[in-house]
Amino acid sequence: MGPKWGVQLLRKATKGSAIMCPPADEKGKAGPKPAEAPFAELPAVPDFEAMAQNMGKLVEQAGKVTAAYLKPIERGEAKTGQADEASEMVKVLGRVAERWVSDPQKIIEAQGAITSDFLSLWSSTLKRLGGEQVEPVIAPEKRDARFADPEWDSHPVFDFVKQAYLLTTRWAEGMVEQADELDPHTRDKARFYVKQIAGALSPSNFVATNPELLRETMAQNGENLVRGMKMLAEDVEAGGGELKIRQSDAGAFQVGVNIATTPGKVIYRNDIIELIQYAPATETVLKRPLLIVPPWINKFYILDLNAEKSFIRWCVSQGLTVFCISWVNPDHRHALKDFESYMREGIFAALEAIEQVTGEKQVSTIGYCVGGTLLGVTLAYMAATRDKRIASATFFTTQVDFSHAGELSVFVDEEQIRAVEEQMAERGYLDGSRMSGAFNMLRPNDLIWSYAVNNYLKGKAPTPFDLLYWNSDSTRMPAANHSFYLRNCYLENKLSKGEMRLGGKRLDLKKVKIPVYNLATREDHIAPAKSVFLGSQTFGGPVDYVMAGSGHIAGVVNPPNKVKYQYWTGPKPEGAFEDWMKKTEEHPGSWWPHWLGWLEKQAPKRVKPRIPGEGPLPALEDAPGSYVKIKA
């Protein structure tokens, strides 16, 4: 097949499209485009003068991007860690390659497989160009929004590019799965890195191979790229030399103004927490107070996004006296604050303050994610010291058994933890961008590349979205705390084994006899439902295991008035998770009322409401306080 044949094929593939100029009419103007032509809405020829001007502006903005990147390097403030992460990826994928190179016959088979796929695709494309109706060799998943534009299917060139990408991705994933003698952790890491590379190299991420981007760029004479480069420069500047992709319109939200607005007061403060007591909204309240222990990996207002979605506001409206910990966003001064510090200066300090303002010696508690892990550790310590101030515990998507720890476990092995510890030793904390980046990498197409395309190639600012604003409001990790968590939980799984020691005590969750409500979510990649189920079996008292629909956030923040998702209840969480699932009952809508019934049944007595600041502890300031407003 010579060059002449290739040109004829390209002409046939692009016939009538805006890639080729349409025929001119008798007045020399571009004639009408046929209705079936791709890019029909584009002008036949862009304004080259405007395009040239915009390319000049693009270069100017690119210079600003470079300057923003170089500024922290010149000041000696550049963040470390990226080189280590890239080296780890190369090393892991190199191990996969070694397994294949050691067997020449397998290499030949692998090459034959991808060659066969591409021959099938080429044959299918030729038939399509000949006018035949053919089924695609491979199709994206229905939920894959990258290829939603109609021309990914209707235009043979873009359809070929799309299918070639999907075939290559499937082949690369297969290379990982079929590599012999890989240990499970290395295979998990290889899967993860292949997913990152595949996400980055998607043809949807490039102007030249994305039909929607081509249309917009031609129609706007490149103005979209200029706007995008300007935003890129701003985001690199905001990230201190690293790209911090904006996922929401940050100017649309202000904590305490239109987000985190449930009325209350900060009644206690120390080095690592502010304790918020929320104002009552009912004529009577349950006598037993509720303490919420949120994760410090994120900020607490995920449970108080707005009036419609706020779990905290809903609890108040049901007659609960709600207290919530707001963790400090730590800096170098908190380097030595470890898990024991967070227990004593966090949960224990909150319990003491609650007893002062309510007179109650016992509380109900909620722990969310790593806040739940801390709560579990605290309960085991309290059981060892016969401390009975916590009467019941609710866990939201919490792991206490890390044997099936989810996708974040790919970041945890001795070598990687040691590298993280070296980074933390320099400043006394792990920078917030590291954690937020890790979470975004769990869903790269949704949380990274979709925004990169929208922001920097389409030149569109993201729309206001409270959940994504919260997601980007990152927090730092104190060095001692984070090291303890990674080693004792993810790496060695000591808590579930009864081997963890804290405050001079060996912790045994079997000694925790209080009632537990353990909520998992079905699509959770951080705390998988199976992992939470196994964790339920480590407690010594009655456990109600409930599984909600959706994922780590949406499954928890699911108010009853939305009537979204569902939840499952079943027998005692024993045996295999798969067997338990067969015995469950599905319920439509939110699990919140079900949980409230469980909580109220334990201590139904009601009293007059407590007003924040009117007890022994005066109000220090209005909720949501000051700690939550500290930026990383």
Side-chain angles (χ1 to χ4, degrees), residues 15-205:
K15 183 179 180 182
S17 77
I19 298 175
M20 307 283 288
C21 294
D25 62 17
E26 66 277 6
K27 296 181 181 179
K29 298 179 181 178
K33 300 183 181 123
E36 71 277 7
F39 305 129
E41 70 275 16
L42 271 184
V45 179
D47 184 335
F48 288 112
E49 183 177 353
M51 181 76 78
Q53 291 176 352
N54 285 326
M55 291 305 101
K57 294 177 183 178
L58 186 65
V59 172
E60 180 184 349
Q61 293 298 330
K64 293 181 180 180
V65 172
T66 304
Y69 171 75
L70 292 175
K71 188 184 298 183
I73 296 176
E74 293 169 351
R75 294 177 176 175
E77 301 171 352
K79 299 172 184 176
T80 59
Q82 297 97 324
D84 292 336
E85 293 161 6
S87 175
E88 178 69 14
M89 180 180 70
V90 171
K91 183 165 58 178
V92 169
L93 295 181
R95 289 175 185 166
V96 176
E98 287 173 5
R99 298 300 185 272
W100 285 90
V101 170
S102 63
D103 188 343
Q105 182 60 37
K106 287 196 67 177
I107 288 276
I108 294 172
E109 292 173 0
Q111 291 173 338
I114 190 67
T115 301
S116 176
D117 285 341
F118 271 90
L119 286 174
S120 297
L121 175 58
W122 187 243
S123 174
S124 173
T125 301
L126 291 177
K127 289 178 182 179
R128 184 175 178 184
L129 292 173
E132 292 186 41
Q133 294 290 329
V134 293
E135 290 294 319
V137 176
I138 189 171
E141 296 180 3
K142 292 181 180 179
R143 297 171 59 183
D144 193 341
R146 295 175 297 174
F147 304 107
D149 189 272
E151 292 206 85
W152 284 112
D153 296 326
S154 64
H155 196 294
V157 170
F158 293 117
D159 182 49
F160 179 89
V161 169
K162 174 193 69 181
Q163 292 194 63
Y165 164 75
L166 294 172
L167 287 173
T168 305
T169 299
R170 185 176 69 182
W171 178 79
E173 292 169 347
M175 294 287 283
V176 173
E177 298 303 323
Q178 297 166 35
D180 294 333
E181 300 177 1
L182 273 184
D183 64 273
H185 182 61
T186 300
R187 196 183 304 276
D188 286 343
K189 288 198 291 184
R191 288 191 193 106
F192 179 81
Y193 290 131
V194 165
K195 182 168 73 172
Q196 303 311 310
I197 295 170
L201 296 180
S202 171
S204 58
N205 297 339

